[in-house]
Amino acid sequence: MSTPRRPPLPRIDERITMKYGAGGRAMRALIEGLFAQGFPATPGPDDVTLSALDDGAAVRVGDRWLVVTTDSHVVKPWVFPGGDIARLAVCGTVNDLAVMGATDPVGLTCAVVIEEGFARTDLEALHASLRAACEEAGTTVLTGDTKVMGRGELDGIVFNTCGIGWASRPVTDRGLRPGDVLMVSGTIGDHGMAIMAVRHKLALEGDLRSDVAPVNGLVRRALEAGGTAISAMKDPTRGGVAAVLHEMAQKSGVGVLIRESSLPVRPAVRAAAELVGLDPLVVANEGKVVLGVRPEAADAVLAALRAHPLGRDATTIGTATDDRIGSVVMDTGFGRRLVAEPEGELLPRIC
Amino acid sequence: MSTPRRPPLPRIDERITMKYGAGGRAMRALIEGLFAQGFPATPGPDDVTLSALDDGAAVRVGDRWLVVTTDSHVVKPWVFPGGDIARLAVCGTVNDLAVMGATDPVGLTCAVVIEEGFARTDLEALHASLRAACEEAGTTVLTGDTKVMGRGELDGIVFNTCGIGWASRPVTDRGLRPGDVLMVSGTIGDHGMAIMAVRHKLALEGDLRSDVAPVNGLVRRALEAGGTAISAMKDPTRGGVAAVLHEMAQKSGVGVLIRESSLPVRPAVRAAAELVGLDPLVVANEGKVVLGVRPEAADAVLAALRAHPLGRDATTIGTATDDRIGSVVMDTGFGRRLVAEPEGELLPRIC
C-alpha cells in the first residue's frame, strides 16, 4: 500500500478530555500516537490490522477475509427519536462490517455494563430492540457478557458489540484514485442532530429522527452492481462525512473536491444545525455510507443504491482529485474553500 | 445435546442490583431469563451459541470451529497487586478462547471507555501492560474503539475485549460423564482475594497477588496430552470454582463430588478469606482452569499440566458422579455437605 500523506497530529494532552472520544483529530492522535503503537500485524500481507485504523480488521483465511469489528456505545440519552442504544449497537457493528465488504455477518457479540438501579423494564425494552435490529440486519447475537457497576459509577448503560463476517475482498478507506466518484447513500447529519435536539431541548426536536439502520443490505446491492470498481467505503459516524472524506483523502493520497449544493440535508436538520452553529457535514450519521467508485461504474452503483429503501436519496457529492493531496475542498458555487478535519469536541456521547 | 437438568431460576428484580453482574444465580437468571431469549441459533447443528451460555460461541467453518468470546472489564481498582485492567482484559479473553479449545488466538479487539480527566500517563501504562499481556499470550490487538464519558459519568475506565480463534473441536462445559476426573490447574481464590484485600485494606494485603495470566499455553499442553478425553473445561472467574462446578454438573447432567482436603489454597488466601468470611471456592481466579477428564487420560493430563509453569500446583479435586445430578457435594473428611451455587452479591467489580 502507498504511504499515506497525513498532516502531523497534535500531542496528547496530560488529561483525557471529551474530544478524545469524538471521532476527530484528537481521537486520531490518541489512537495513532498511543493505542495502535507496537502491536504486531497478523501474518497475511493483505490483512487489514490495527495500524490501518480502518472500520475493523480483515484477516485472510484461504481465499476470503474474516472481518472483525468492535464498538462501545455510550449514547446519551439511551433512548432517542428513531432508536435506542441497543439498535445503535447492532447497526454500528453491522455497518462497520458492511463497509469492509462483509455484508452477511456471521453474528455479533454483545456485552453490557449496567448501572445499579437500572429498571428491568428498560432492559426488557432494550433487549426487544436488540432482537429487532438483529432480525432487520439478518444476524444474531452469538455470545455476550454482563457486568454491573455501582450507582453513580456509570451513567446508565454501556453496550459493546463486536461483529464477525466474511468478505471476498476487504474494502478499505484507502483505495481512492483521482477521478473516482464520491457518493453518499442519503441525507446527512440526521443522527447527530436528533441527539443534539433531544439533549438541548431544541424546539425542532419533533422533526428530527436518527437515521440509525443496518446498511448491509444496501451495501450488498452496491457491491453487486459495482464489484471491485467500489474503491473505498466508510460509514460516516462520529465526525460525520467531513471526517470520512479526510480519512479517505489522507489514506488514499488523493484530494477530495465536493460540491456544497449536492449535499443532501433535510430541512429540519439544516435548521437545527444553523440554530446551534454546526455544519451538517461534521455531524454523525448511523445509517449512511460514503462510497468511492471508479467513474465507469458510478451510474450503476448509484442506481443500485437508489433502488434500495435506505438509498433513495443517494447522490454523488464530488470526486477524488490529483491536487491538494490529503485535503478536502468544498465548491460553494461562489468559490472554493478548505473543509477542516473535525477536531472532535462538538458532540460528546453521540453514539 | 442432552437437555440439562437445572433448578428453577429466581425472578429478575424490578431494579438491577450488583448481584446481577457477579457470576452467580442472579446473573444467570438475567441472562437466561432475558438476554439470551429469542436469538436464532447459527445454522450448524454442532455450533455453540448464545443459548449454550458457555464461555463463548463456536461456529463451524469447514472442518473446524471459529470461536468468539467477549468480556467487559470493570475491575476496581484498575491497578492491583499482580496486574491491572488491561492485563485482565487480555487474559480473560484469551482464557475464554482457550477453554473452548482455541489456544492460538487469531487476535483480539479492544474497546475502551475512558472517564474525562483520566491521566495520559495512566493510559500509557495500561497500553504497555496490554501489549505485554498480548505478547505473553502470543496474540495481538486487531482493531479497537475509543469512547470518552464525562467526569462523574464513569468511574475510571472500562475495557472490552473480544477474541477470535480456531478450534479443531469446541470444548464445552457440558461434556462430563460419571467417572470423569475433575482437576484444577492451581491454587484457587488468588485474584478475588487480592482485589478484596486492596479494596478493604486488609493487613494481609502484601501476601496476596492476583493470578491473572493467559492460560492458553497451559491448555494447549493439556489438549495435546488428553485430546478428546478432555470432556469439559472452564476458567473459574466470577463465582469461582464453585460456580464452574455447578455449571458443569447442571449442563452435563451429572453430580460432582469434591474433596475439601484436595483444594489447593495459598495460606495467605485462606487467612484473608477467613477474615472476611468467604469460602475460596466462590472467589474469582484469572489464571486457572477447571478440567473434566476421562479417567484413562487423567494421569497424562495432570502430568502435562504440572509440566507447565502455570500448572505446577495442578491437582485432582474430585469426580463426576451419577447421583445427586446437578449438585456439587463436598467431602469434608468428616462427612458430606452440599455446596451452594453462588448467588452472586459478594464481590462486585472483581473483573
Side-chain angles (χ1 to χ4, degrees):
Chain A
M1 286 176 201
S2 64
T3 307
R5 180 185 304 215
R6 316 206 70 171
L9 283 166
R11 266 180 61 84
I12 306 167
D13 297 333
E14 288 298 310
R15 298 273 167 187
I16 299 304
T17 52
M18 298 308 288
K19 68 180 178 185
Y20 287 97
R25 286 182 78 226
M27 189 174 88
R28 202 151 60 73
L30 179 62
I31 297 173
E32 292 188 30
L34 178 59
F35 291 157
Q37 290 290 318
F39 286 101
T42 49
D46 309 321
D47 290 352
V48 180
T49 53
L50 194 56
S51 59
L53 302 164
D54 211 310
D55 304 277
V59 180
R60 188 161 193 159
V61 179
D63 59 353
R64 55 185 181 161
W65 276 262
L66 184 63
V67 181
V68 186
T69 175
T70 187
D71 265 310
S72 294
H73 288 89
V74 299
V75 65
K76 179 181 183 172
W78 47 265
V79 183
F80 47 80
D84 57 39
I85 192 170
R87 180 173 174 80
L88 190 64
V90 171
C91 296
T93 294
V94 165
N95 295 353
D96 277 344
L97 287 178
V99 296
M100 295 281 291
T103 56
D104 297 283
V106 174
L108 310 180
T109 67
C110 180
V112 291
V113 186
I114 309 167
E115 184 186 13
E116 181 185 19
F118 204 84
R120 190 194 64 212
T121 48
D122 289 335
L123 270 190
E124 287 167 351
L126 291 178
H127 175 255
S129 170
L130 193 77
R131 280 178 57 185
C134 280
E135 206 163 297
E136 203 174 324
T139 191
T140 187
V141 172
L142 294 171
T143 187
D145 178 56
T146 307
K147 295 287 189 307
V148 180
M149 292 177 79
R151 202 182 290 266
E153 293 178 343
L154 176 70
D155 184 22
I157 192 163
V158 170
F159 271 72
N160 177 282
T161 38
C162 275
I164 51 172
W166 293 102
S168 57
R169 67 166 178 116
V171 182
T172 67
D173 45 21
R174 60 185 61 208
L176 290 184
R177 286 200 308 236
D180 283 0
V181 178
L182 290 159
M183 302 177 186
V184 63
S185 64
T187 56
I188 68 175
D190 298 72
H191 175 74
M193 287 319 304
I195 299 289
M196 193 83 170
V198 151
R199 277 223 297 254
H200 297 276
K201 301 192 172 35
L202 300 188
L204 288 148
E205 191 180 317
D207 299 323
L208 295 166
R209 284 176 67 81
S210 169
D211 59 342
V212 57
V215 298
N216 55 324
L218 176 71
V219 169
R220 197 184 300 125
R221 292 277 192 91
L223 285 170
E224 283 163 7
T228 56
I230 294 180
S231 55
M233 271 198 291
K234 207 167 177 70
D235 56 330
T237 58
R238 287 176 286 175
V241 170
V244 163
L245 295 175
H246 274 278
E247 286 277 319
M248 288 183 171
Q250 291 172 21
K251 291 184 180 172
S252 304
V254 299
V256 160
L257 175 65
I258 55 172
R259 294 176 307 277
E260 188 163 32
S261 62
S262 68
L263 295 171
V265 184
R266 283 186 209 285
V269 168
R270 190 179 299 282
E274 275 172 16
L275 203 63
V276 295
L278 275 180
D279 184 345
L281 204 62
V282 304
V283 177
N285 312 271
E286 293 290 345
K288 299 291 156 39
V289 193
V290 175
L291 305 95
V293 187
R294 302 275 184 253
E296 62 274 16
D299 288 348
V301 170
L302 191 59
L305 290 172
R306 287 181 174 165
H308 191 279
L310 290 176
R312 275 193 296 258
D313 298 323
T315 185
T316 65
I317 58 170
T319 49
T321 62
D322 58 6
D323 64 343
R324 315 271 339 204
I325 304 300
S327 297
V328 179
V329 175
M330 172 94 85
D331 180 342
T332 62
F334 305 100
R336 293 184 171 187
R337 67 170 175 88
L338 275 177
V339 176
E341 182 177 0
E343 176 66 19
E345 66 270 47
L346 299 168
L347 297 164
R349 293 183 63 185
I350 205 72
C351 66
Chain B
M1 285 174 204
S2 64
T3 309
R5 181 187 302 213
R6 315 209 69 173
L9 284 166
R11 266 179 60 86
I12 307 167
D13 298 332
E14 289 297 309
R15 297 274 167 185
I16 299 304
T17 52
M18 298 308 288
K19 68 180 177 185
Y20 287 98
R25 287 182 77 226
M27 191 174 87
R28 203 151 60 73
L30 178 62
I31 297 172
E32 292 188 30
L34 177 58
F35 291 157
Q37 291 289 317
F39 285 101
T42 49
D46 308 320
D47 289 352
V48 180
T49 52
L50 194 56
S51 59
L53 301 164
D54 211 311
D55 303 276
V59 179
R60 188 161 194 159
V61 179
D63 59 354
R64 54 185 182 162
W65 277 262
L66 184 63
V67 180
V68 186
T69 176
T70 186
D71 265 309
S72 294
H73 289 88
V74 299
V75 66
K76 181 182 183 172
W78 48 265
V79 183
F80 47 82
D84 58 37
I85 193 170
R87 179 171 174 83
L88 190 64
V90 171
C91 297
T93 294
V94 165
N95 295 354
D96 277 345
L97 288 178
V99 297
M100 297 281 290
T103 55
D104 297 283
V106 175
L108 310 180
T109 67
C110 180
V112 291
V113 186
I114 309 166
E115 183 186 14
E116 181 184 18
F118 204 85
R120 189 195 66 212
T121 49
D122 289 335
L123 270 189
E124 286 166 351
L126 290 177
H127 174 256
S129 170
L130 191 78
R131 279 178 58 184
C134 280
E135 205 163 299
E136 204 175 323
T139 190
T140 188
V141 171
L142 295 171
T143 186
D145 179 56
T146 307
K147 295 287 189 306
V148 180
M149 292 176 79
R151 203 181 290 264
E153 294 178 342
L154 176 69
D155 183 21
I157 191 163
V158 171
F159 271 73
N160 177 284
T161 37
C162 275
I164 52 172
W166 293 102
S168 57
R169 68 168 178 115
V171 182
T172 67
D173 45 22
R174 61 185 59 208
L176 290 184
R177 285 199 310 234
D180 283 1
V181 178
L182 291 159
M183 300 175 187
V184 63
S185 63
T187 55
I188 67 174
D190 298 72
H191 175 73
M193 287 319 305
I195 299 289
M196 195 83 170
V198 151
R199 275 222 299 252
H200 298 277
K201 302 190 174 32
L202 300 188
L204 287 149
E205 193 181 315
D207 299 323
L208 295 166
R209 282 177 70 81
S210 170
D211 60 341
V212 57
V215 297
N216 55 323
L218 177 70
V219 169
R220 195 185 302 124
R221 291 277 192 92
L223 286 170
E224 283 163 7
T228 57
I230 294 179
S231 54
M233 271 197 292
K234 209 166 174 73
D235 55 331
T237 57
R238 287 177 287 175
V241 170
V244 163
L245 295 175
H246 274 278
E247 287 275 321
M248 287 184 171
Q250 291 172 21
K251 290 183 180 171
S252 303
V254 298
V256 159
L257 175 65
I258 55 172
R259 293 176 308 278
E260 189 164 31
S261 62
S262 68
L263 295 171
V265 184
R266 281 186 211 285
V269 168
R270 190 179 299 282
E274 274 172 16
L275 203 64
V276 297
L278 274 180
D279 184 345
L281 205 60
V282 305
V283 177
N285 311 272
E286 294 290 346
K288 299 292 156 35
V289 193
V290 175
L291 305 94
V293 186
R294 302 277 184 252
E296 63 274 16
D299 288 346
V301 171
L302 191 59
L305 290 172
R306 286 181 175 166
H308 191 280
L310 290 176
R312 276 192 296 256
D313 298 321
T315 185
T316 66
I317 58 170
T319 49
T321 63
D322 58 5
D323 63 343
R324 315 274 335 208
I325 305 299
S327 296
V328 179
V329 176
M330 171 95 85
D331 181 340
T332 63
F334 306 100
R336 293 185 172 187
R337 67 169 175 87
L338 275 176
V339 176
E341 182 178 1
E343 176 67 19
E345 67 270 49
L346 300 168
L347 297 164
R349 295 183 61 187
I350 205 71
C351 64

